[in-house]
Amino acid sequence: MKYYIVAGESSGDLHGSLLIKELSVKDPHACFRVWGGDKMQQAGAEVVKHIKELSFMGFWEVAANLLTILRQMRFCKEDILRWKPDVVVLIDYPGFNLRLLPFLKQNNFKTVWYIAPQVWAWKSGRTRLLKRYVDKLLVIFPFEVDYFKRWGIEAIFTGHPLVDLLPPSSAQKKSKLIALLPGSRKQEIKNMLPEFMKVCSFFPEYEFWVAGMSLHGEAFYQKFITAKNCRLFIDDTYFVLSSAEAALVTSGTATIEAALLNTPQVVCYKGNPISYWIGRLLVKVPYISMVNLVCAKKVVDELIQHDLCAEKLVEALKKTLMPYVREQMLKNYAELRNKLGDGGASSRAAVAVYELAKSK
């Protein structure tokens, strides 16, 4: 079978790579052509567009790169038509992938959406597109099943793939060590890392480890690392997180990773002011971190936009380092892990994709 996979971000590259490995077991003759990154390539896929060309986030940033995005969309459609896959798998990346859906339906391509767009948080109207054009919708958070059912969509809960990747660990945390996760996109890192640097001088007895990615190159990070008690680690996020006593984490998949690695965290986010203002008007959920959303309560502190300043970061980090706060956070992390499923998410997703491919 031929599988065409479209993912535009680092988390999608990771989840796509796990899916490819499982599909390769179920379908030994599988061929994969993807929009992804190094992880999917290492799993055996042919990468036709790398995620470093695709990471645009926010209303202002998308508008500024609109011509580039339109060229990429045209190329993607032409490439799918040439290759004629048995099934197309769309992994998250809604701003791009939603616009592919009508084209895929018109050309009779079977479509699986893996890791549903967060329509329950904003732009609920997008659910109509999913209902009309997607053959199978695979979700990784348990509450999404009931949400989509209300819209007449039978979503399949696979569980979260990170549960398999990050099993419970009893590893001892290093004392006086804080992890800094500035995000996966360049624009996030530019916004977040300078803010994180302001905190380091308030904790001279601590060492700060920055989790970076080879995708952007070491030199890119070093431009923003100004604190003397700070070190950069490339492509070693889980080691950095699992070692740290606490972490400052940019909102995204990394908040779940920190929770599964039992690292107390403060969730942070700062974006383009225009994009943030528009987002505030549209977002309907009380939290931005998936940890708080899945648990349906405030488990970790969130510092967003104007609240992301040195004074509040220092205050929140000191609070997170307190033993009783840490103990309660770890109890909530255990609750989160139970809600995310009992493992086997990538395998269940692969079964759903393979069955649809065979039905063609």
Side-chain angles (χ1 to χ4, degrees), residues 343-356:
S346 298
S347 178
R348 282 190 285 273
V351 168
V353 173
Y354 182 48
E355 286 178 349
L356 186 62

Side-chain angles (χ1 to χ4, degrees), residues 294-357:
V294 173
C295 290
K297 61 184 177 182
K298 184 180 177 182
V299 174
V300 298
D301 284 336
E302 300 179 350
L303 296 177
I304 309 168
Q305 206 67 10
H306 304 300
D307 287 333
L308 190 66
C309 60
E311 181 182 358
K312 291 189 177 182
L313 273 171
V314 170
E315 180 184 349
L317 184 54
K318 285 181 176 178
K319 174 186 169 185
T320 303
L321 291 167
M322 293 177 180
Y324 73 91
V325 174
R326 175 190 185 87
E327 182 180 350
Q328 184 58 49
M329 200 176 293
L330 294 183
K331 287 180 181 177
N332 287 323
Y333 281 177
E335 176 187 329
L336 172 75
R337 182 179 282 276
N338 288 334
K339 288 187 174 184
L340 292 181
D342 56 0
S346 298
S347 178
R348 282 190 285 273
V351 168
V353 173
Y354 182 48
E355 286 178 349
L356 186 62

Side-chain angles (χ1 to χ4, degrees), residues 55 57 102 123 172 179 195-196 246 265 284 292 327 329 346:
S55 295
M57 181 182 181
K123 294 189 176 182
Q172 188 69 32
E195 298 296 334
F196 288 168
Q265 63 182 301
K284 301 179 295 186
N292 290 343
E327 182 180 350
M329 200 176 293
S346 298

